[in-house]
Amino acid sequence: MDLDQTTNEPKMEKDYSESVKALQPEVEQLLASGQLRAALDKLHGLEKKTRAAADLWSTSQLLESMVDACGAASEWVMLEQEVAAMSKKHGQLKQAIAKMVQRAMTYVDKTPDEQSRIELIDALRTVTEGKIHVEVERARLTRMRVAVYEAHGQITEACDTLQEIQVETYGSMDRREKTDFILEQMRLCLAKRDYIRLAIISHKINPKYFQRDDTEDLKLRFYELMIQYDLHEGNYLEVSRHYNQIYTTKSISEDAAKWPGVLQNILLYLVLSPFDNEQSDMLHRVQRDHNLEKLELCTRLAKGFTTMELTRWPAVESVYGPEFRKTDVFSAQTDDGAARWMTLRDRVIEHNIRVIAKYYTRATITRLTELLDLGADDVEAFLSRAVVAGTIYARVDRPAGAVSFAKPREGEEQLNAWASDVGKLLGLVEKTTHLIAKEEIVNKIARAI
């Protein structure tokens, strides 16, 4: 059978549209008198002819009429049976099935009770299973089923059911709806505490899509979910980046009630991040933000971490504690907030160690305990971590009770330094010789005159 290039269905052999229009009043009369089965028999008889003739419009109208007849009569079991039977008919047109399913979906919210609703959704999901021409409808039906699971507190079942749908492969689904579906999958994974799958699913969304003006709500949802994930993983630098993306969103940056809290979170999670080139670069960029000047404590905190000066922890605790311990980041009411406050203490000490390593070549353990406000064992522990991380060079001489921060030169480096010194010495000798020769010539000329 030849295919119609516009619909990708078999070419229509005969037009039954007039017959369909003529049958409608008769069907309506039968339904009005309560003869549902007789009305369906009439529709079945003509549907068989339209299907054999590949009349798409007529077949679609008849299938939708069957759905409407059952739905109007509140015969939900019969509706499920009709949809299932019509979808299995030999040679049934794909687009006609899609329109029938779409019409049946409109009756999901009209069911009298939850049990009928669930049965209708499950029946439609069975019909659409494995059919690419109704993949979008199956995805929407799955979300309806998941909503029921979630309403009953069955988070695991809801999450597993939604994971069955791989919307990223659906070419017929709108990109916004596709993104919204993936965000829902991420949300349920978070509710289930399946953080590994959440991380995998998050890579299905391209952040560049959020550059469009009509995606701000999706962007905010995405980064809120990613913030919760990275907080669980302890990736504070990533958390800061996510807040930065939220901060640059137009609806946030233009709202004077929202941006201060977001900007504060950017800075707080940034200083909680371990020191490296990326963290340092981002911290300096945040410090240059003019809005930061409006947040006095945040400005002082950023300056303390970007200036190579000692920042004593007792002073930090007394200055910033009363205010920051009220925030969600360092909340004194939660275990996570208390843990992050102690992490801030560690970051302050690590900053002080970098400052000491810059200005000292050698220092005693006793002196370091005074500068860092720590015990001798804690000083060694922090020094060891800094050395392992590669942020400083240090060697501890326990018998002498001292720490050396001067990095010894390698052989090649030492030779290069000597070569440079010898080169400078020879340059000075040559210049001195030239000046002596010049002076002798001047004296000879003077005596000759």
Side-chain angles (χ1 to χ4, degrees):
M1 186 178 290
D2 296 335
L3 292 178
D4 187 334
Q5 298 298 321
T6 57
T7 63
N8 200 29
E9 300 278 13
K11 286 186 177 180
M12 184 172 62
E13 297 177 359
K14 186 177 179 180
D15 186 358
Y16 282 92
S17 59
E18 294 301 325
S19 300
V20 172
K21 293 176 182 177
L23 183 64
Q24 289 296 337
E26 185 178 348
V27 171
E28 291 174 1
Q29 186 176 358
L30 289 171
L31 291 174
S33 61
Q35 301 179 55
L36 176 60
R37 176 49 63 185
L40 290 175
D41 290 341
K42 290 280 187 181
L43 293 170
H44 287 162
L46 185 55
E47 184 273 337
K48 184 176 181 180
K49 297 178 182 179
T50 60
R51 172 163 42 88
D55 185 350
L56 176 60
W57 185 86
S58 299
T59 305
S60 301
Q61 289 294 313
L62 291 170
L63 294 181
E64 289 178 345
S65 296
M66 295 176 195
V67 172
D68 290 337
C70 295
S74 298
E75 291 290 344
W76 307 112
V77 175
M78 190 175 292
L79 172 58
E80 296 165 15
Q81 294 172 347
E82 285 296 317
V83 172
M86 290 298 104
S87 65
K88 295 177 181 177
K89 292 291 184 180
H90 178 70
Q92 189 61 275
L93 303 175
K94 296 177 181 178
Q95 292 189 31
I97 295 176
K99 291 184 178 180
M100 176 182 66
V101 171
Q102 290 169 5
R103 181 60 63 89
M105 288 173 63
T106 62
Y107 287 95
V108 171
D109 293 331
K110 298 178 182 179
T111 51
D113 53 57
E114 188 177 64
Q115 185 60 35
S116 300
R117 176 186 173 89
I118 293 173
E119 290 175 356
L120 180 56
I121 292 174
D122 288 342
L124 293 175
R125 288 187 70 226
T126 302
V127 169
T128 56
E129 186 175 4
K131 297 182 176 67
I132 195 171
H133 51 281
V134 284
E135 59 185 7
V136 175
E137 287 74 17
R138 178 171 174 77
R140 292 168 181 166
L141 287 165
T142 301
R143 285 197 68 171
M144 294 179 187
R145 187 68 180 93
V146 166
V148 175
Y149 277 131
E150 195 172 5
H152 288 83
Q154 297 173 290
I155 301 300
T156 300
E157 290 81 358
C159 184
D160 294 342
T161 302
L162 204 61
Q163 299 309 315
E164 298 173 2
I165 309 299
Q166 308 297 325
V167 291
E168 66 274 9
T169 63
Y170 292 2
S172 54
M173 181 179 281
D174 176 73
R175 189 173 184 184
R176 179 182 176 83
E177 184 179 0
K178 193 182 298 186
T179 304
D180 178 62
F181 198 97
I182 295 173
L183 288 173
E184 190 67 10
Q185 290 179 326
M186 292 174 61
R187 184 184 68 81
L188 287 174
C189 284
L190 189 65
K192 185 185 173 184
R193 299 187 181 278
D194 189 349
Y195 296 101
I196 295 176
R197 188 173 293 276
L198 188 152
I200 294 172
I201 295 174
S202 68
H203 291 105
K204 296 178 181 179
I205 297 178
N206 187 350
K208 291 183 180 179
Y209 172 65
F210 298 131
Q211 294 175 359
R212 296 171 53 174
D213 294 335
D214 60 341
T215 60
E216 282 197 4
D217 56 328
L218 298 177
K219 177 182 179 181
L220 294 175
R221 283 174 58 195
F222 174 73
Y223 285 111
E224 286 292 345
L225 291 169
M226 293 306 299
I227 285 170
Q228 294 183 58
Y229 166 73
D230 282 307
L231 279 176
H232 174 266
E233 298 296 314
N235 298 329
Y236 295 129
L237 183 58
E238 292 300 321
V239 173
S240 181
R241 285 174 176 158
H242 299 327
Y243 271 116
N244 191 50
Q245 291 294 332
I246 294 175
Y247 177 66
T248 57
T249 305
K250 188 175 180 181
S251 60
I252 300 297
S253 60
E254 294 180 354
D255 191 337
K258 294 180 179 179
W259 69 256
V262 176
L263 183 57
Q264 176 176 276
N265 285 341
I266 293 174
L267 179 66
L268 294 183
Y269 283 113
L270 198 52
V271 298
L272 285 173
S273 307
F275 176 82
D276 58 22
N277 290 336
E278 292 184 31
Q279 187 264 1
S280 178
D281 176 67
M282 188 172 178
L283 183 58
H284 282 83
R285 282 190 282 113
V286 170
Q287 189 183 21
R288 290 195 294 270
D289 191 322
H290 295 301
N291 283 333
L292 192 66
E293 298 174 359
K294 302 174 184 177
L295 307 176
E296 182 182 354
L297 281 180
C298 291
T299 303
R300 292 172 63 182
L301 183 64
K303 184 177 180 181
F305 275 90
T306 54
T307 305
M308 294 304 288
E309 295 179 359
L310 288 177
T311 305
R312 309 293 286 270
W313 171 247
V316 171
E317 195 169 23
S318 62
V319 172
Y320 302 106
E323 184 67 26
F324 286 161
R325 293 309 298 271
K326 297 177 183 178
T327 65
D328 292 337
V329 181
F330 299 117
S331 174
Q333 309 301 321
T334 63
D335 293 338
D336 289 340
R340 283 193 281 268
W341 185 249
M342 296 311 297
T343 301
L344 177 63
R345 169 181 172 271
D346 294 346
R347 298 294 177 256
V348 170
I349 294 170
E350 290 167 3
H351 168 77
N352 290 339
I353 288 175
R354 291 193 298 274
V355 173
I356 292 170
K358 180 177 180 180
Y359 293 112
Y360 282 77
T361 56
R362 185 177 176 84
T364 63
I365 295 291
T366 304
R367 178 57 175 159
L368 290 178
T369 59
E370 296 173 359
L371 294 174
L372 299 175
D373 301 300
L374 294 173
D377 293 340
D378 291 334
V379 168
E380 281 197 26
F382 276 98
L383 283 173
S384 300
R385 288 204 291 267
V387 171
V388 171
T391 55
I392 66 167
Y393 174 89
R395 288 293 181 268
V396 178
D397 184 352
R398 282 200 179 93
V403 179
S404 174
F405 297 102
K407 185 175 182 180
R409 292 179 176 178
E410 296 181 359
E412 184 178 353
E413 187 179 357
Q414 187 67 51
L415 289 173
N416 289 336
W418 287 344
S420 175
D421 291 342
V422 170
K424 290 179 181 178
L425 177 60
L426 292 175
L428 290 173
V429 170
E430 184 179 359
K431 183 177 181 180
T432 303
T433 303
H434 173 72
L435 291 174
I436 291 172
K438 179 180 177 181
E439 190 69 25
E440 289 178 348
I441 293 172
V442 170
N443 288 333
K444 286 180 181 179
I445 294 173
R447 284 197 297 267
I449 294 174

